[in-house]
Amino acid sequence: MNVAKFGGSSLADAGQIKKVASIITADTDRKIIVVSAPGKRSGEDTKVTDLLIHLGDTALAGKDTAEALYNVVERFRSITEELRLSEDMLTIIEKDLQERVDYKKDNPGRFLDQMKAAGEDNNAKVIAGYLQSLGIVSEYINPAEAGLYVSDTPGNAQVLPESYDNLYKLRERKGILIFPGFFGYSKQGELVTFSRGGSDITGSIVAAGIKADLYENFTDVDSVFAANPNVVKDPVAIKRMTYREMRELSYAGFAVFHDEALIPAFQKSIPVCVKNTNNPKTSGTMIISEREYALNPVIGIAADKGFSTLYVRKYLMNREVGFGRRLLSIIEDEGISYEHIPSGIDDTSVILDNSQLTAASEEKIIQRITEELGADDVYFEKGLAMIMLVGEGMHETVGIAARATKALMEKKINIEMINQGSSEVSLSFGIKEGQVDDAIRGLYEEFFSTKEVLQ
């Protein structure tokens, strides 16, 4: 029994949904289908989720929601009409959307969760209805009915352990089950969403819950590539990789998966296959617990922008017991998590995600470190990007760092920071944001000089 998840680009319009229906019925093992909201139909289009966020913001501002609501309804109308579904389906969707707009607004985060989840929820109803119109036994499954319980943290839900036992009971149901992604319910019955892109999380949770033989994640690429195809021409395709490698690459900017998505599947050792909705016969990329040794110790290169360095210098810092703990406590007090902490004898740097910083928090952090820790110098430096080499074979191979630094040197790129995880699956470099593309190309040339497909 398999779980298949289809992303927004795979379900952007009626034509795509017809493709998905063909894929679903081509393999009788595909039992549970997790779906996203309709995505962009073209580069200039707007995702349904973004239309819903605009609708929610309009409602919260107390403005007239008629136009914003109309835009969402029309997207679903274009889909249902082309699929030749009964008008009852659109009536159900319109009623659902209006109820969400009318939902209590005393908690904006909870209200927006209601709005954002409408894309996945109603798309699941549409797809189940379309399969039924083809004579296929199928059923829409609401996460509350299935027992997908999550923490009551709007916009950042975490699955609760009892959900897995509840979801296992779905194996007893007949036909194809269509399950909306992106949200679950608190134990008090409140709808709560995962973080953005969380339909991948739902797919992984459901696969773990039913103990699937395979979790297929359908997107718009044939496979996971060793580097960004928008930066490197014809990068090699990765045929097999481990969960840890995918997790590291996702963290560092790979757009194929939400960086939390694979954890439930990883914990249950369920293999994951990334496939292309528009080219479903390709083998895709298999993500597994362990893989055989490959000749190339590096399996992929990823990069992400939008980081800052908090630089702290104090003479004899290394002899001051508790300095690091107190430094991180000051950052924690501002509700900020850190990414990396490279350090020396008299100085340390804390790498932070810019999205968590404000001018006020930066000023407060600098003031407290200066006053409470007696630092000689404290400042933030902006415009940092993190570039990461990932591969299970790196810890068994001598000279990876030397080759990487040589490749960056040849591109005339100055390294601001180097950090290697204790697992030695990844090696990351901090560089200036404007040099990211050159860095990726240089590292790719060094570690992927041939066009062989990784095995």
Side-chain angles (χ1 to χ4, degrees), residues 376-408:
D376 299 321
D377 195 15
V378 188
Y379 61 88
F380 280 92
E381 188 169 316
K382 302 286 188 177
L384 186 72
M386 301 301 299
I387 188 162
M388 185 178 289
L389 296 176
V390 174
E392 294 276 6
M394 288 171 54
H395 72 283
E396 299 175 351
T397 307
V398 175
I400 297 295
R403 290 174 63 186
T405 54
K406 176 176 175 290
L408 295 174

Side-chain angles (χ1 to χ4, degrees), residues 309-320:
T309 303
L310 170 62
Y311 177 78
V312 182
R313 181 175 61 84
K314 183 178 183 181
Y315 182 58
L316 297 180
M317 178 191 297
N318 65 312
R319 296 187 183 181
E320 190 170 332

Side-chain angles (χ1 to χ4, degrees), residues 58 111 304 375:
T58 302
F111 174 77
D304 202 10

Side-chain angles (χ1 to χ4, degrees), residues 7 39 58 60 75-76 87 125 129 136 156 165 171 235 266 282 319 438:
T58 302
L60 284 174
R75 276 298 298 273
F76 279 106
E87 292 184 5
K125 296 171 189 174
I136 299 166
N156 192 33
D165 288 338
R171 296 179 67 98
F266 166 75
T282 58
R319 296 187 183 181
D438 284 341

Side-chain angles (χ1 to χ4, degrees), residues 115-285:
M115 295 307 308
K116 290 185 292 184
E120 281 78 8
D121 201 25
N122 285 297
N123 210 25
K125 296 171 189 174
V126 168
I127 293 164
Y130 178 61
L131 292 175
Q132 290 165 9
S133 74
L134 299 177
I136 299 166
V137 178
S138 62
E139 180 183 3
Y140 157 80
I141 299 292
N142 186 278
E145 177 190 359
L148 176 50
Y149 294 127
V150 298
S151 60
D152 194 7
T153 48
N156 192 33
Q158 303 294 317
V159 64
L160 299 182
E162 59 260 44
S163 295
Y164 295 108
D165 288 338
N166 297 336
L167 290 167
Y168 187 77
K169 297 172 185 175
L170 293 176
R171 296 179 67 98
E172 301 169 3
R173 299 213 181 195
K174 304 297 182 183
I176 295 169
L177 310 181
I178 309 299
F179 200 108
F182 191 33
F183 69 97
Y185 284 83
S186 71
K187 296 301 289 288
Q188 293 72 39
E190 297 284 358
L191 184 154
V192 193
T193 68
F194 297 110
S195 52
R196 188 73 187 264
S199 288
D200 286 333
I201 300 176
T202 302
S204 187
I205 290 169
V206 173
I210 71 160
K211 299 182 180 178
D213 299 309
L214 177 67
Y215 169 39
E216 299 174 293
N217 192 292
F218 283 85
T219 180
D220 54 5
V221 295
D222 284 346
S223 64
V224 179
F225 295 102
N228 186 344
N230 295 321
V231 177
V232 174
K233 184 179 180 180
D234 299 326
V236 297
I238 303 173
K239 290 300 181 183
R240 296 168 71 83
M241 65 194 309
T242 67
Y243 296 113
R244 291 201 303 174
E245 289 170 330
M246 187 71 239
R247 173 89 168 103
E248 294 280 359
L249 288 169
S250 296
Y251 162 77
F254 261 44
V256 176
F257 275 108
H258 186 289
D259 65 358
E260 299 174 14
L262 290 185
I263 293 175
F266 166 75
Q267 291 172 335
K268 299 293 184 180
S269 298
I270 295 169
V272 179
C273 188
V274 180
K275 302 195 75 172
N276 190 348
T277 303
N278 300 313
N279 191 16
K281 292 184 179 180
T282 58
S283 59
T285 297

Side-chain angles (χ1 to χ4, degrees), residues 36 50 217 261 289 337 382:
S36 296
D50 290 328
N217 192 292
S289 298
S337 60
K382 302 286 188 177

